[in-house]
Amino acid sequence: MSDTPVLTRRPEWTALEDHRAQAMRRPRLRDLFAADPRRAERYVVRVGDLRVDYSKHLITDETLVLLRELAAATGVAGLRDAMFRGDRINTTEDRAVLHTALRAPRDAVVEVDGENVVPRVHAVLDRMGAFADRVRSGEWTGHTGRRIRNVVNIGIGGSDLGPAMAYEALRAYTDRSLTFRFVSNVDGADLHEAVRDLDPAETLFVVASKTFTTIETITNATSARSWLLAGLDGDAKAVARHFVAVSTNAGKVTEFGIDPDNMFEFWDWVGGRYSYDSAIGLPLVIAIGPERFREMLDGFRTVDEHFRTAPAEANAPLIMGLLGIWYGNFFAAESHAVLPYSHYLSRFTAYLQQLDMESNGKSVDRDGRPVGWHTGPVVWGTPGTNGQHAYYQLIHQGTRLVPADLIGFARPAGELSDELRAQHDLLMANLFAQGQALAFGKTADEVRAEGVPEEQVAHRTFQGDHPTTTILAPRLTPSVLGQLVALYEHKVFVQGAVWHIDSFDQWGVELGKVLARRVEPALTGGAEVPGLDPSTAALVAAYREFRK
Ligand code: F6P
């Protein structure tokens, strides 16, 4: 039995409970700013190109001290060092957690089981770069000798969300003569729509799967191979020119029929949701080129170094992680919104959903004991102004507390016309206005002063006190994207460490997979499936009936 103290019985935890119940019983941001006019300068941390402003939070210096004491007591720094060192901190899978080694410089030494893995990381990066250059230059041709114009990534979860998000984020840096598509859903419509207007002779498939056993990916890859062969006179030799794989499982890749020479490797110490800076980023390297990809890795590394070395008072991922704990555990906030004011970050929150919710959606601690405290929040959000005209109403005037991150850039990315560039100030004015309105609201007296009839005053009053972090950077570049992703990776790490959970396994997705395999024969072949519960059995019967 573990001797780790129960989190909620730690004195640092109960001190936070007391602080919330007394000093922070009804915190008002207007009062906090009035009491400390320098708050807007003091509650800012710089990391790389990112300026992280956490002044609009329901906190005081005392709150921050207490939160840092909680982090110290729960051993966040020790676990962080163990992660960077390559210890097997993913205990339920008995694996090291070394996505940070993926962006280590060539001369770094990071050992797993006594072997320095950095040379292998760079050997794969070099191969990816060389391959991407061949595709981009037209030297790598398809089976009929035509150059590749379309790249279709087939993967799911971490083998899809990362490259798909980063491709969108860095679209301004992509080779516009190439078309990129990302297929993940086992719904045949996904592959159909992705390839229906493509010429197989000019299409390269990247089959991305850490395990190479994921049913969605293998099913889609098999259908993609049929589509390719149907378009190329059934010549099986075509597969070698049109399929490459990214995986940790060379055996399964070969079994599928992909030439091992066309496989790009990564390792079991890279979690799926932490993998897009590994070979999983291959479509991105083809899209933006190896140099830009390395700039992105440098961005990741900047934040890794910051997380590893910055003091607790100025450590951005630590502060963001602790703020999430403050709201989730002491204000009963159930969700966290990530609201980028950048169209290019349209997939960023979806990417973070897996990063955060698959990592910290746990209800037993590292020792297998049920946790008696809330763990990861529901993460949600869409780009900026679109959300304002949809769900911001609930954040402003609903009954729930929804802490949010607002992410914006001083200059637009992309080669926009002068007229479209000018729209950027309007976009950012919205970000700043939302942060202000959420924090400070509008009092009833202010509403009355505008001449609003008394019966409408309550409806038009804004409580305020909705906390936000504002993350501002000069421009969305490959490096800045790397910085942003690493910031969130480490934020999630901090929270998992405090909650004493294993943030690197994902057993919760297994049961559904197993049951789907069991139910499928009942749908396709009409076989009786023993052991189906009455509700699911009735649904299966209805499905069969509808299907006739
Ligand atoms: O959803 C579970 C999961 O294992 C994720 O963690 C992973 O990113 C995804 O499936 C895809 O797995 P693979 O890369 O092995 O196909």
Side-chain angles (χ1 to χ4, degrees):
M1 202 60 203
S2 158
D3 53 7
T4 311
V6 172
L7 179 62
T8 47
R9 279 195 235 122
R10 287 182 182 273
E12 295 79 7
W13 186 275
T14 52
L16 278 159
E17 283 177 334
D18 293 346
H19 175 64
R20 167 75 172 107
Q22 288 156 24
M24 301 300 274
R25 198 163 62 86
R26 292 202 56 197
R28 303 269 0 233
L29 279 165
R30 285 178 184 238
D31 299 341
L32 295 173
F33 273 88
D36 178 6
R38 291 196 53 245
R39 193 179 162 94
E41 297 142 51
R42 295 197 309 113
Y43 289 175
V44 172
V45 53
R46 297 291 299 253
V47 43
D49 298 308
L50 309 178
R51 181 184 188 279
V52 180
D53 179 330
Y54 57 101
S55 61
K56 294 193 184 79
H57 278 283
L58 304 171
I59 53 168
T60 61
D61 286 355
E62 190 189 354
T63 321
L64 289 168
V65 168
L66 293 173
L67 286 168
R68 288 199 296 268
E69 284 174 2
L70 179 68
T74 50
V76 174
L79 194 68
R80 174 199 63 196
D81 295 344
M83 172 176 75
F84 277 93
R85 208 166 43 227
D87 292 3
R88 293 172 182 265
I89 63 164
N90 175 2
T91 45
T92 73
E93 294 181 331
D94 192 24
R95 286 177 182 167
V97 175
L98 268 180
H99 42 278
T100 51
L102 298 170
R103 49 260 193 170
R106 247 178 230 280
D107 57 356
V109 177
V110 183
E111 291 191 348
V112 176
D113 298 330
E115 188 209 343
N116 179 14
V117 297
V118 177
R120 292 169 73 190
V121 166
H122 281 271
V124 173
L125 278 174
D126 291 343
R127 278 190 66 220
M128 288 162 66
F131 179 74
D133 281 340
R134 291 179 72 193
V135 173
R136 286 161 66 86
S137 68
E139 187 195 328
W140 178 280
T141 53
H143 180 61
T144 64
R146 302 243 294 274
R147 69 180 291 175
I148 296 298
R149 299 200 181 274
N150 318 305
V151 178
V152 180
N153 190 75
I154 299 179
I156 198 163
S159 301
D160 165 71
L161 287 162
M165 175 280 289
Y167 169 71
E168 284 304 328
L170 300 178
R171 224 169 162 148
Y173 301 87
T174 59
D175 181 338
R176 303 287 190 161
S177 70
L178 293 169
T179 296
F180 289 84
R181 306 259 163 92
F182 294 84
V183 173
S184 54
N185 200 328
V186 77
D187 182 342
D190 198 0
L191 180 63
H192 169 74
E193 292 298 335
V195 298
R196 56 176 287 283
D197 57 345
L198 303 185
D199 181 344
E202 299 181 340
T203 301
L204 176 74
F205 289 96
V206 178
V207 185
S209 174
K210 180 174 168 180
T211 54
F212 229 76
T213 56
T214 304
I215 188 133
E216 292 88 341
T217 299
I218 301 308
T219 305
N220 275 327
T222 305
S223 299
R225 186 171 52 188
S226 304
W227 174 85
L228 180 93
L229 294 181
L232 295 177
D233 299 329
D235 188 346
K237 286 205 289 295
V239 172
R241 304 297 302 173
H242 294 268
F243 274 78
V244 298
V246 179
S247 188
T248 60
N249 192 341
K252 287 281 176 196
V253 168
T254 315
E255 210 176 283
F256 182 84
I258 296 178
D259 187 343
D261 283 350
N262 296 342
M263 171 180 152
F264 297 86
E265 187 192 13
F266 65 117
W267 307 274
D268 73 356
W269 40 263
V270 182
R273 52 194 174 273
Y274 297 86
S275 68
Y276 98 79
D277 48 341
S278 71
I280 289 291
L282 184 66
L284 186 63
V285 191
I286 300 173
I288 64 174
E291 214 169 295
R292 297 285 195 199
F293 192 80
R294 285 190 189 270
E295 282 170 28
M296 187 189 76
L297 297 182
D298 292 345
F300 273 95
R301 188 161 66 240
T302 301
V303 176
D304 291 346
E305 282 307 299
H306 166 87
F307 180 49
R308 212 170 56 77
T309 59
E313 317 77 75
N315 194 309
L318 181 76
I319 293 168
M320 286 174 66
L322 292 174
L323 289 171
I325 287 170
W326 179 230
Y327 297 115
N329 295 112
F330 300 94
F331 283 75
E334 289 175 342
S335 76
H336 183 93
V338 180
L339 309 167
Y341 280 70
S342 162
H343 189 69
Y344 286 117
L345 288 183
S346 59
R347 301 294 310 276
F348 190 64
T349 310
Y351 168 77
L352 290 185
Q353 284 180 323
Q354 188 199 13
L355 177 67
D356 200 323
M357 294 164 78
E358 200 166 81
S359 295
N360 286 343
K362 308 288 162 65
S363 55
V364 295
D365 71 10
R366 287 181 159 271
D367 308 305
R369 300 176 297 194
V371 292
W373 48 91
H374 279 300
T375 57
V378 175
V379 176
W380 60 285
T382 51
T385 53
N386 295 1
Q388 286 172 214
H389 293 273
Y391 50 76
Y392 274 43
Q393 165 66 33
L394 181 146
I395 309 182
H396 280 289
Q397 288 191 314
T399 54
R400 296 170 197 278
L401 182 74
V402 183
D405 297 343
L406 307 172
I407 304 172
F409 304 94
R411 278 177 286 137
E415 289 159 6
L416 307 185
S417 67
D418 288 347
E419 190 178 2
L420 293 178
R421 287 183 85 74
Q423 292 182 201
H424 191 74
D425 289 337
L426 178 58
L427 171 72
M428 290 301 290
N430 273 281
L431 182 157
F432 297 128
Q434 288 300 323
Q436 184 180 2
L438 287 165
F440 304 111
K442 195 174 186 184
T443 63
D445 285 345
E446 287 168 346
V447 176
R448 277 189 201 103
E450 288 175 353
V452 170
E454 194 55 34
E455 67 275 14
Q456 288 212 4
V457 168
H459 297 280
R460 300 200 191 198
T461 299
F462 289 68
Q463 163 71 23
D465 301 318
H466 299 288
T468 54
T469 301
T470 305
I471 303 175
L472 203 57
R475 197 165 187 223
L476 181 55
T477 61
S479 170
V480 164
L481 181 68
Q483 293 171 39
L484 274 174
V485 172
L487 180 69
Y488 280 94
E489 284 179 349
H490 298 319
K491 171 204 161 173
V492 167
F493 175 91
V494 166
Q495 298 188 331
V498 171
W499 289 323
H500 193 53
I501 54 179
D502 186 337
S503 298
F504 301 100
D505 61 15
Q506 56 286 317
W507 299 106
V509 295
E510 288 306 316
L511 178 61
K513 287 188 197 171
V514 172
L515 293 182
R517 268 187 223 120
R518 203 181 296 163
V519 173
E520 198 200 352
L523 306 186
T524 50
E528 284 312 312
V529 179
L532 274 192
D533 68 89
S535 171
T536 310
L539 284 170
V540 167
Y543 174 81
R544 281 190 198 150
E545 192 58 35
F546 282 178
R547 216 170 169 240
K548 277 182 187 157

